[in-house]
Amino acid sequence: MMTRVAIAPGVILWRERFSKTEQQTLLNDVLARIKQAPFYRPVMPGSGKSFSVEESNFGPLGWISDKTGYRYQATHPVTGAAWPEMPALLIDLWREIADAPDAQCCLVNLYRQGARMGLHQDKDEKALSAPVVSVSLGDEALFRIGGETRRGPTRGVELASGDVVMFGGAARLAYHGIDRIKQGSSSLVPGGGRINLTLRRVTQTD
Ligand code: MD3
Ligand code: FE
């Protein structure tokens, strides 16, 4: 049974928005596309230090990070191929909940054992009036969200497989990250771990 939870102004969490069957269908769609656009390990601009998450993208624009910076681009940084199409289920989800033009980027984050994501803001998009929508698959994660500055109070929220979170309005520029993954809490992802699908509008207009 799906339950809607208000976390903070601008944040809406739908627990179990996708049923177990839908999660499996979505995961199959994702893994089929990953064959065309394999996970790669991004590095931080400047330092060149590797991310602990592996990433890929679907849709017309992908978010990538390398030694020279963060940016959106239409092609995979390793294979040079265009990103695969966005799964239909995710296009439908965005149209249902986001009051904005269609998403252009689905960033795929793979968290294997020990992977995390430090507190950061998502601000590489020109369309800051559009929300960001996140779908969790696989192992549970401890997600952390704060305010628009790096300092100040934060709160932790557990995200489980099938949960959907939308961040808009007052929360669009909130600092957020993933503290840790609960290894073995789900058997959905082959090889274990968590996959997060983050949907974003990048440009202001078509
Ligand atoms: C709150 N990913 O890829 S999704 C990211 O679970 C990212 O992989 C995390 O943060 C993950 O940038 C968190 C939840 C999320 C995404 C975007 C946000 C929360 C957000 C933008 C603004 C505020
Ligand atoms: Fe983020």
Side-chain angles (χ1 to χ4, degrees):
M1 171 68 136
M2 173 170 65
T3 57
R4 206 178 118 142
V5 188
I7 299 291
V11 184
I12 304 169
L13 164 60
W14 290 266
R15 291 227 182 264
E16 238 182 292
R17 172 68 181 68
F18 293 111
S19 69
K20 199 79 217 282
T21 305
E22 291 168 326
Q23 291 167 39
Q24 191 63 62
T25 301
L26 181 55
L27 180 71
N28 294 346
D29 286 0
V30 167
L31 295 180
R33 285 166 172 76
I34 289 297
K35 289 200 172 123
Q36 308 305 130
F39 286 114
Y40 77 101
R41 195 174 295 277
V43 299
M44 312 273 204
S47 71
K49 194 175 178 287
S50 287
F51 285 29
S52 60
V53 299
E54 294 164 73
E55 299 190 326
S56 186
N57 291 272
F58 308 144
L61 289 174
W63 182 90
I64 69 127
S65 179
D66 65 17
K67 275 204 74 113
T68 68
Y70 305 130
R71 66 186 170 277
Y72 282 95
Q73 65 178 44
T75 55
H76 191 291
V78 177
T79 69
W83 301 107
E85 283 180 8
M86 211 173 288
L89 220 118
L90 297 178
I91 298 175
D92 293 347
L93 172 70
W94 178 275
R95 289 181 180 167
E96 198 178 320
I97 67 177
D99 184 18
D102 279 356
Q104 293 165 306
C105 173
C106 173
L107 172 63
V108 189
N109 290 137
L110 173 64
Y111 296 79
R112 296 290 195 193
Q113 185 160 23
R116 54 183 297 279
M117 189 177 286
L119 273 190
H120 67 278
Q121 291 174 297
D122 288 18
K123 53 178 187 186
D124 298 324
E125 302 74 33
K126 292 189 176 75
L128 289 174
S129 57
V132 174
V133 171
S134 151
V135 180
S136 295
L137 292 175
D139 281 343
E140 287 170 28
L142 179 57
F143 170 72
R144 186 153 301 282
I145 183 160
E148 289 192 9
T149 62
R150 187 175 284 285
R151 31 171 311 193
T154 62
R155 65 171 290 190
V157 180
E158 307 246 304
L159 293 181
S161 197
D163 290 355
V164 171
V165 201
M166 183 163 69
F167 305 86
R172 180 61 183 79
L173 289 175
Y175 274 85
H176 61 277
I178 295 290
D179 288 354
R180 62 192 169 84
I181 302 305
K182 299 190 177 173
Q183 180 73 15
S185 54
S186 162
S187 57
L188 187 73
V189 174
R194 169 177 187 259
I195 291 176
N196 180 262
L197 305 164
T198 300
L199 303 171
R200 301 191 185 98
R201 178 78 196 178
V202 179
T203 61
Q204 243 348 319
T205 54
D206 301 273

